[in-house]
Amino acid sequence: MPHTRTIRRWVAVATASVVLLTGCSKIGLTTPQPTPTAGGSATRATPPNGEPAADDTVTKLAQALQTGNLSQLPLVGDPTTITKAVADDYAVIMSGMDGFKPKVVTEPVAYEGNGVAGVALQQTYTFDKSVWKFTTTARLNLVGGQWRVAWKPDIVHEQVTSTTRMRHTRELPERAPILGAQGKAIMESRDLFQVGIDKQNLLQAQWAASAKRVAELMKIDVAAYQKQVASAGARAFVIAKTVRRSELPEAVREVPGAITVTVPGTVGVSAGFAQSLLGAVGKATKQQAKDSAGAIAVGEPIGLTGLQKRYDAQLRGTVGHLVMLVQRRDAPAPKAGEPPFVPLTLHALDPVEGKPVQTSLNTDWQHRAQSALAGQKGVAALVAINTETGEVIASAESPAANGQALATFGRYAPGSTFKIVTALALVRKGLSAQTMVDCPATTTVNGRVFKNYDDYPANKLGRITLGEAFANSCNTAFMLQAKQLGQGDLTAAAAALGVGVDFDAGFPVFYGSVPGTTDPVVAAANSIGQGQVETSPLAVAALGASVASGRTVVPWLVSGHQPKPAAAPLTANEASQLQAMMKLTVSAGAATSLRGVVDGAKTGTAEYGAGNPPKTNAWMVVYKGKMAVAVFVADGASGSQAAGPVVKAFLA
């Protein structure tokens, strides 16, 4: 069981008291025998004539202390009883050591003659990052031609006696918080409250009514909880729900048999707050404890998902270790005039508190993102980033995402939002927003017929500017113009806009994949965000941020893990051309529903699956001031219809 800080302070005082008392030898500790020294006047390093070497017995002693198995240890005493007696004594001494055993290195045996010898045992315990070293002495007697150990408790530790034993405890540090952009905790350790029915203080006739009322107050299934209460033991505490203080109904106190139990927990500032990113903390399993090599014990807090898992070691800190000399349960009471026994600290390592993880999440905007997605019946995601710094301001998914980090780690075809990349590649070939291009109703590439989306405006077919083709999302125009691009041009343009280059940014993130290809059909599909191109909502947000800022913006979340782009930077002309196209999309294109709400935008619809017609996912990426926002709606009809309202709800 972990010690609290209060207990640690008490131990410190108690230890000081023992130091004073032991000087008068008043607590019953046996004074250890002097360690034999090879080569001294009374001992020798080799056996006297006629006596065998004691090396085999010494080796068995070291092995016995290291393994805890004393069955093969030669002992002085009645062979029919001594082995069990010593094994029992050793088991009592070590019963509180949580399975820890020492590594033992023996010094050369010191022979005293007349069948007497001694050996010094260098013992080392390793507790995670704490090492405890000490030396004890074992006495040996030659009995019937065999060296045997004269067992005494102080072989285990020099201060252990027949009335004391050792006890190890772990002291857990407080888990450090995850911080938001304002430096305030957005996920931290705090008291939670288990609300339920305590059956031992409730008449059976009241079980059903009380369970019904508690279930109603806690907003859980009434019938299921009544059944749970009825089937539990007669003295059981049946938990209905664990909540934070702000969620605890005052009326629970009035329900007969209902109680609340305070328990520790690690939670966000509100229920579900950025849960897919921040993750969860739970109790370590036996396997997790084993894998930690002593850093974590079964049942201790451990990060299970998200940032809590990635930075678990940093957040949890280093556990403290305390080994104390305590009385055995059957120790006699002190005699008249003797002071009571006071536990003695043998080894102590204070815990080291964890260090916070600093993130860029803005609490207010994160709440707004979650609110904007709360009404979505299907899977949807939203990411907002700072166009100047790349900081992830908000990242959220709809309830249907079931806690998956789809906003940052989902892999989807970006559809026409990827025309931002293709437009940059074309500008680098000498085109501009004013360049005239052809936008036919269909175009054929190597026998494959491509067309525009069903609601493409008929008055924007034919000869139009590249800016108009972008604003109204003409697939055929971009495919025809993309024929002049080289195999790696889209890849390079994407990298300049923060997409398609993998970085370890310290959290679950997919920056997109934009592979080159020699297949003209795939190349045509890639140019409109289909084919082999994949992005996450976060990567699409990077497109908007890079255009808005006029330079490569790679989104980041965790301080100290900001990626450094190495792609060829945007020129002033390239940024100006892209900004003009995204502004035109709002003023006279597919995103006119966002006039007055955003500065620039690009809609997108991506087909997927083998259906006829295929299903579609909807996209929208926008920028306003210093913020870029990307919204993804699974199975959405179009970017303007499905994703646009989410953008408006978020920014309104």
Side-chain angles (χ1 to χ4, degrees), residues 127-437:
F127 306 114
D128 188 17
K129 298 180 181 180
S130 172
V131 176
W132 179 34
K133 296 183 178 181
F134 57 86
T135 300
T136 62
T137 301
R139 308 291 292 174
L140 310 174
N141 294 138
L142 188 61
V143 180
Q146 181 186 30
W147 286 101
R148 296 175 179 270
V149 176
W151 178 261
K152 292 181 64 179
D154 61 11
I155 291 175
V156 179
H157 185 276
E158 63 181 1
Q159 290 178 286
V160 175
T161 70
S162 60
T163 62
T164 59
R165 62 186 180 92
M166 297 194 301
R167 183 181 67 196
H168 166 263
T169 54
R170 297 166 61 88
E171 182 178 8
L172 298 183
E174 184 172 347
R175 192 174 184 88
I178 297 178
L179 307 176
Q182 299 87 356
K184 296 181 180 179
I186 56 177
M187 191 172 193
E188 64 181 335
S189 298
R190 61 175 63 186
D191 285 342
L192 300 178
F193 300 88
Q194 292 178 338
V195 181
I197 297 294
D198 182 12
K199 293 182 67 175
Q200 67 176 335
N201 292 318
L202 190 65
L203 296 175
Q204 183 174 352
Q206 297 174 292
W207 291 354
S210 289
K212 179 177 183 294
R213 182 57 179 150
V214 167
E216 291 172 342
L217 290 170
M218 304 312 299
K219 298 179 181 180
I220 62 173
D221 187 284
V222 172
Y225 185 59
Q226 285 180 316
K227 183 177 180 180
Q228 186 181 356
V229 170
S231 61
R235 300 175 62 83
F237 169 50
V238 187
I239 300 170
K241 194 174 182 180
T242 301
V243 297
R244 57 192 80 219
R245 185 181 296 277
S246 61
E247 302 166 330
L248 187 62
E250 284 293 328
V252 165
R253 299 181 180 182
E254 302 171 4
V255 180
I259 64 170
T260 61
V261 177
T262 305
V263 294
T266 302
V267 293
V269 293
S270 60
F273 183 88
Q275 188 171 352
S276 65
L277 279 181
L278 303 184
V281 176
K283 294 181 178 181
T285 64
K286 186 179 295 185
Q287 186 60 50
Q288 288 170 327
K290 180 180 179 181
D291 293 343
S292 76
I296 305 168
V298 175
E300 289 181 353
I302 184 173
L304 301 177
T305 57
L307 298 186
Q308 288 289 353
K309 181 178 181 180
R310 172 70 183 265
Y311 298 97
D312 182 60
Q314 175 181 332
L315 291 166
R316 73 169 184 265
T318 303
V319 70
H321 293 274
L322 183 67
V323 180
M324 299 195 68
L325 188 72
V326 299
Q327 276 192 306
R328 303 190 190 194
R329 292 178 180 175
D330 59 356
K335 296 179 180 179
E338 288 187 344
F341 178 85
V342 179
L344 174 66
T345 300
L346 301 178
H347 171 75
L349 177 73
D350 287 332
V352 178
E353 291 189 357
K355 296 181 179 179
V357 171
Q358 177 69 59
T359 75
S360 57
L361 288 180
N362 180 289
T363 304
D364 293 337
W365 284 109
Q366 180 65 29
H367 279 132
R368 293 178 70 164
Q370 293 177 194
S371 178
L373 294 172
Q376 292 290 317
K377 294 181 179 180
V379 171
L382 183 153
V383 175
I385 62 177
N386 186 306
T387 60
E388 293 187 348
T389 65
E391 295 168 292
V392 176
I393 298 169
S395 176
E397 294 84 16
S398 63
N402 294 320
Q404 299 180 77
L406 301 180
T408 62
F409 203 60
R411 301 172 72 104
Y412 308 99
S416 291
T417 59
F418 194 74
K419 287 173 182 168
I420 298 172
V421 174
T422 307
L424 173 59
L426 293 175
V427 169
R428 287 180 169 180
K429 291 296 183 181
L431 280 69
S432 73
Q434 299 304 315
T435 300
M436 299 302 295
V437 297

Side-chain angles (χ1 to χ4, degrees), residues 385-388 417-425 427 470 493-499 539-555 569-585 599-602 621-629:
I385 62 177
N386 186 306
T387 60
E388 293 187 348
T417 59
F418 194 74
K419 287 173 182 168
I420 298 172
V421 174
T422 307
L424 173 59
V427 169
F470 180 97
L497 295 168
V499 173
V540 171
L543 297 178
S546 296
V547 172
S549 66
R551 59 182 178 80
T552 306
V553 175
V554 181
L570 293 172
T571 66
N573 176 62
E574 291 166 355
S576 177
Q577 297 298 326
L578 295 176
Q579 289 167 2
M581 294 184 207
M582 290 190 71
K583 289 177 181 178
L584 185 61
T585 304
D599 300 329
K602 182 69 191 83
V621 57
V622 305
Y623 64 85
K624 177 184 180 181
K626 297 180 181 180
M627 184 185 294
V629 183

